[in-house]
Amino acid sequence: MDNVYDYNRLGSRFNKIVSLLIIIVLSFLIFYFVTYSWFGESEKGNKVIVVGQIKLDVKTNLKFPSDTLEPNKLYENMETIIGCVKDTDQAYIKVKFETDYKINDNYIIKPVLYVSEEFEADGKQNWIYSEVDDCYYYVGFISPDNSATFNTGFVVTNDINNVDKSKPVNIKLTVYAIQRHFKAYETEPNWAGAPQEWKTEIAAFDITN
């Protein structure tokens, strides 16, 4: 069942879909399966698609705290944490956050990216955006002992008006993972959009043998 968020007769109906596409290179065979997760009593099952052999553990909260979606509003405590299960390769990850409803070519809702205290002190970001593939690249790696926080919440822009009332807005979160070893991202076509800034930062984590 879809929820309708309304603010003084302004608002949008959100379908919340989390799609996890995990790609591992150098795999001779690719298997896939579909599972479902629940993020709230009033939510539909969110579709989780896993392709490949890196098994991710993704915890996300897409349930807004009330039936009101306010323009120019910051919604906190709605974080997304990306990890992986035991016996899974260490991996680099990138995330694509999408909605299918824009106003003036801008999304009306955006993720609030997480920045660690260490990175914040150095004036850096944990996530580097690429205009080539519209993905956020994580500066670091995940393993059974290391997870990554993508966002801490969401912010709604001030662009909503009367014509937007009850119009559907789909939210889609796609997570891509690739093995950490051998700098596999340099030869994998799905990672061709990696920005040079990320490649420079990630070099400290590369394992080449």
Side-chain angles (χ1 to χ4, degrees):
M1 178 177 65
D2 295 334
N3 291 329
V4 176
Y5 303 87
D6 194 273
Y7 177 70
N8 292 337
R9 298 188 178 181
L10 308 180
S12 299
R13 183 174 66 253
F14 280 71
N15 298 317
K16 306 171 191 66
I17 302 176
V18 179
S19 175
L20 307 178
L21 175 59
I22 298 87
I23 300 175
I24 185 169
V25 299
L26 305 179
S27 296
F28 181 70
L29 296 176
I30 296 179
F31 304 90
Y32 71 93
F33 60 92
V34 178
T35 60
Y36 292 86
S37 300
W38 292 87
F39 299 110
E41 293 180 355
S42 64
E43 309 264 349
K44 292 193 302 186
N46 290 272
K47 192 172 184 182
V48 179
I49 303 177
V50 180
V51 181
Q53 297 176 2
I54 295 178
K55 298 178 181 178
L56 295 188
D57 178 17
V58 180
K59 298 178 176 66
T60 189
N61 178 9
L62 298 180
K63 183 177 176 58
F64 288 84
S66 70
D67 291 335
T68 300
L69 181 66
E70 300 182 35
N72 200 29
K73 171 75 173 181
L74 171 64
Y75 292 91
E76 300 181 285
N77 302 317
M78 298 177 69
E79 64 184 10
T80 300
I81 299 176
I82 305 166
C84 59
V85 301
K86 293 182 179 179
D87 302 321
T88 295
D89 287 340
Q90 297 175 346
Y92 293 138
I93 57 173
K94 63 178 180 177
V95 176
K96 190 169 188 177
F97 179 88
E98 300 172 275
T99 66
D100 60 357
Y101 193 77
K102 295 182 179 181
I103 298 177
N104 299 326
D105 291 327
N106 295 314
Y107 294 129
I108 64 169
I109 184 169
K110 300 176 182 179
V112 180
L113 297 178
Y114 171 79
V115 181
S116 66
E117 292 183 3
E118 178 184 357
F119 275 59
E120 190 173 32
D122 293 336
K124 299 190 298 184
Q125 301 290 322
N126 282 92
W127 298 87
I128 297 176
Y129 178 71
S130 170
E131 293 183 352
V132 176
D133 57 8
D134 196 25
C135 287
Y136 296 92
Y137 286 73
Y138 179 61
V139 181
F141 66 93
I142 62 170
S143 70
D145 299 317
N146 295 289
S147 61
T149 301
F150 173 60
N151 68 298
T152 58
F154 301 95
V155 62
V156 179
T157 70
N158 201 31
D159 297 324
I160 301 175
N161 55 54
N162 285 329
V163 301
D164 304 303
K165 178 178 173 57
S166 297
K167 289 191 176 179
V169 178
N170 293 299
I171 300 176
K172 183 179 180 181
L173 181 68
T174 308
V175 180
Y176 301 82
I178 194 169
Q179 65 184 38
R180 179 187 178 194
H181 291 76
F182 309 116
K183 301 175 71 172
Y185 59 84
E186 290 191 336
T187 57
E188 170 56 37
N190 285 302
W191 288 70
Q196 185 57 49
E197 181 183 358
W198 178 78
K199 292 180 181 179
T200 300
E201 293 290 339
I202 209 69
F205 301 98
D206 283 339
I207 298 177
T208 57
N209 54 30

